[in-house]
Amino acid sequence: MQKRLTLRIAMVLAGALVFTFTAFAQGGRGGILAHNPANDNKPFDKHDLNGVWSRNGSPAGYGGGGTCRDCGDRGYSNDVPPLTPLGQKMFDANKPSYGRNLNSPDAAAHPEEAIGRRRAVPPANGTDPYQSCNPEGIPRALIYPDPIEFTVLKDRVLQQFEWGYQVRTIWTDGRAPVKDPDLPRWWGYATGKWEGDTFVVDTYGFDPRTWVDHYGYPHSADMHLQERYKRTYYDTLELSMTIDDPKVYTKPWVSQLKKFRLIDQPKTIEGWKGLIEDICAPIEDVEEFNKRIRDPAGGIVH
Amino acid sequence: MKAKFILPLLFVIALLMVGVPLSAHHGTGVSYDASKPVTLKGVVTEFRYANPHPQLFFDVTDEKGNVVHWSGEFYPNPAQLVQAGWGRKRSEAALTPGTQVTVTVAPARAGGPVGALLKLQNDKGEVIMGVAPGNANASPTPEPTK
């Protein structure tokens, strides 16, 4: 009798464990979907992108962490096109600290995942540009599951990212794209326009030091990124992206479909509503952390 | 018998649940091994509520009187902690130098007295800064590997 009870409890616990892993494997915490059925019939303007949008899986939409359950995962896409020789060299030089640990049994157990997701090294041994508080750039900042506030103005759309607390400008004043600027930018040169109910953003002129995503996928200064946004419900915004970068990838790389949830009630702390200032500063504090914690944890003693 | 079987299983589940955030905000979790938690009793020597992750420095004295200086990092960053109700003033007040603490860390894979904080209690048994397994306040940054 006691054995049966123990077995039942073990089965329940094992079930909970499997559920936990399944929820995370889907890229979310479970339970939170991009669209709330309660908003099925709530009216909205398909061309209105204003508001705080988040891919985060927590009800409040804040805090880093996992994505909402059907919002796509934390990478650009697991279906990576073959790299060019230069692209492979750039990929090998990038050493991320996200994903499964390099050479770990965990990494070996998931051959179905692209190698970029199975090569994490301690930050002390890594090359992530954000470790030095450099801008995350695009599309990496779009993928990270923290809030992004869209502000639509007459001649531009601003995207303010909570992660890094930085602003990107998408010009909608009809200007022509700058495809080969003398000075690349961390956030590129972005122009946007409406094609029916889809807001299409074309960006060129990227600083090649940013990564496509957490997993260290590279791009060149010649990358053309196209983002296609579509508001499908009052509370849901869909994004699909295409990277065209022949120097690095042998064919255009289409992203996994990403979804954002509208956060109606932005976080309020001490009576102050709005995005949190999640800023990587001052650099002195970061360097102190690196010297006293990050590096020793990675086997580097100063 | 039942407890002997279930309790370790619960502990493993709790560890796995907190294990997910180990690749936290700055990708820092890769450095630590949460499957080998170490619990230490120590005295706070310094606390830094700073980016990219707050840090706790504490001394641990062994039975022979030898003192080891430990360093520990919190998974969440200040922006995340403040959302969880642990702002700078409250956190610093809870961890003034001399505070006796019991700390469970995920030790660095590279070895040495450095780790990531899995559980943090004062001498009254109170959880500090929400750092406890399975507590959302402790790890508001669960980051799946995918």
Side-chain angles (χ1 to χ4, degrees), chain B:
Chain B
M1 180 65 189
K2 191 166 60 179
K4 275 186 184 175
F5 177 72
I6 292 172
L7 288 178
L9 191 55
L10 280 172
F11 185 68
V12 167
I13 289 174
L15 266 183
L16 286 169
M17 289 181 78
V18 300
V20 174
L22 296 192
S23 56
H25 188 263
H26 234 64
T28 191
V30 184
S31 304
Y32 307 104
D33 188 351
S35 70
K36 297 172 183 169
V38 177
T39 298
L40 307 156
K41 282 183 180 294
V43 177
V44 173
T45 58
E46 184 182 353
F47 170 62
R48 290 171 55 82
Y49 194 91
N51 281 324
H53 295 263
Q55 305 125 53
L56 182 69
F57 301 92
F58 54 101
D59 282 349
V60 176
T61 306
D62 68 17
E63 295 166 353
K64 296 176 182 173
N66 300 316
V67 177
V68 178
H69 305 291
W70 272 83
S71 310
E73 70 167 291
F74 293 79
Y75 288 123
N77 67 358
Q80 290 156 345
L81 283 165
V82 77
Q83 294 173 54
W86 283 93
R88 175 189 296 276
K89 290 174 188 171
R90 184 184 179 195
S91 302
E92 288 181 345
L95 292 169
T96 54
T99 301
Q100 294 189 21
V101 288
T102 301
V103 188
T104 301
V105 299
R109 295 180 191 278
V114 57
L117 304 186
L118 296 173
K119 190 174 183 181
L120 177 60
Q121 292 175 292
N122 62 17
D123 57 0
K124 295 175 187 168
E126 297 166 334
V127 172
I128 306 300
M129 294 173 70
V131 179
N135 187 340
N137 286 358
S139 49
T141 58
E143 298 201 4
T145 52
K146 288 187 76 178

Side-chain angles (χ1 to χ4, degrees), chain A:
Chain A
M1 186 68 180
Q2 191 175 354
K3 277 186 181 175
R4 278 187 184 175
L5 182 63
T6 304
L7 186 62
R8 281 180 186 171
I9 292 172
M11 286 174 71
V12 169
L13 289 172
L17 190 60
V18 168
F19 174 79
T20 301
F21 274 126
T22 303
F24 279 113
Q26 289 170 341
R29 292 174 170 175
I32 302 295
L33 294 167
H35 170 59
N36 181 347
N39 291 324
D40 270 354
N41 300 315
K42 199 162 183 177
F44 66 98
D45 178 353
K46 290 182 177 178
H47 289 208
D48 182 7
L49 303 179
N50 281 296
V52 176
W53 298 90
S54 179
R55 299 185 60 242
N56 195 280
S58 69
Y62 286 74
T67 58
C68 31
R69 195 166 5 140
D70 60 340
C71 295
D73 60 32
R74 296 171 54 84
Y76 180 82
S77 166
N78 209 24
D79 298 319
V80 188
L83 294 154
T84 64
L86 173 64
Q88 187 66 49
K89 190 176 174 184
M90 295 170 73
F91 176 79
D92 291 342
N94 292 348
K95 300 187 184 306
S97 298
Y98 293 91
R100 305 183 192 281
N101 288 10
L102 179 68
N103 297 327
S104 67
D106 181 39
H110 290 276
E112 79 282 4
E113 290 184 9
I115 187 62
R117 299 176 181 223
R118 296 184 283 126
R119 58 173 191 151
V121 298
N125 315 121
T127 62
D128 189 337
Y130 193 67
Q131 284 291 325
S132 306
C133 301
N134 290 307
E136 310 93 305
I138 296 293
R140 187 177 179 186
L142 289 167
I143 299 169
Y144 191 78
D146 256 0
I148 305 170
E149 183 160 26
F150 288 60
T151 303
V152 181
L153 301 174
K154 191 175 63 178
D155 58 352
R156 74 198 87 167
V157 175
L158 304 178
Q159 290 177 323
Q160 178 162 21
F161 301 91
E162 179 169 287
W163 183 40
Y165 207 65
Q166 298 171 89
V167 176
R168 173 199 190 200
T169 304
I170 300 165
W171 290 96
T172 55
D173 57 357
R175 69 181 65 188
V178 178
K179 295 189 176 178
D180 186 22
D182 179 63
L183 186 65
R185 292 187 175 186
W186 288 96
W187 299 92
Y189 293 75
T191 56
K193 63 184 178 188
W194 285 95
E195 291 181 1
D197 292 332
T198 303
F199 184 58
V200 181
V201 180
D202 288 290
T203 309
Y204 300 86
F206 289 98
D207 190 301
R209 287 171 290 189
T210 62
W211 289 0
V212 168
D213 62 13
H214 265 2
Y215 306 114
Y217 283 98
H219 65 80
S220 74
D222 293 349
M223 173 172 74
H224 167 213
L225 173 71
Q226 184 171 84
E227 302 150 71
R228 302 180 73 85
Y229 295 88
K230 195 165 188 178
R231 189 168 182 176
T232 51
Y233 288 102
Y234 166 79
D235 59 1
T236 310
L237 182 63
E238 293 186 357
L239 167 62
S240 61
M241 297 175 278
T242 302
I243 286 173
D244 189 8
D245 190 355
K247 280 187 176 173
V248 177
Y249 301 99
T250 54
K251 58 181 182 179
W253 188 12
V254 179
S255 77
Q256 179 192 49
L257 179 68
K258 307 297 182 187
K259 290 185 184 178
F260 296 83
R261 299 163 45 225
L262 181 65
I263 307 301
D264 268 333
Q265 294 297 326
K267 191 83 174 180
T268 299
I269 296 173
E270 296 185 297
W272 196 267
K273 188 170 74 174
L275 298 189
I276 308 290
E277 190 188 69
D278 185 357
I279 194 166
C280 187
I283 191 65
E284 291 83 359
D285 279 357
V286 177
E287 288 173 344
E288 182 82 0
F289 168 84
N290 291 345
K291 185 179 169 186
R292 299 178 72 180
I293 300 278
R294 182 196 74 174
D295 290 351
I300 298 172
V301 179
H302 294 280

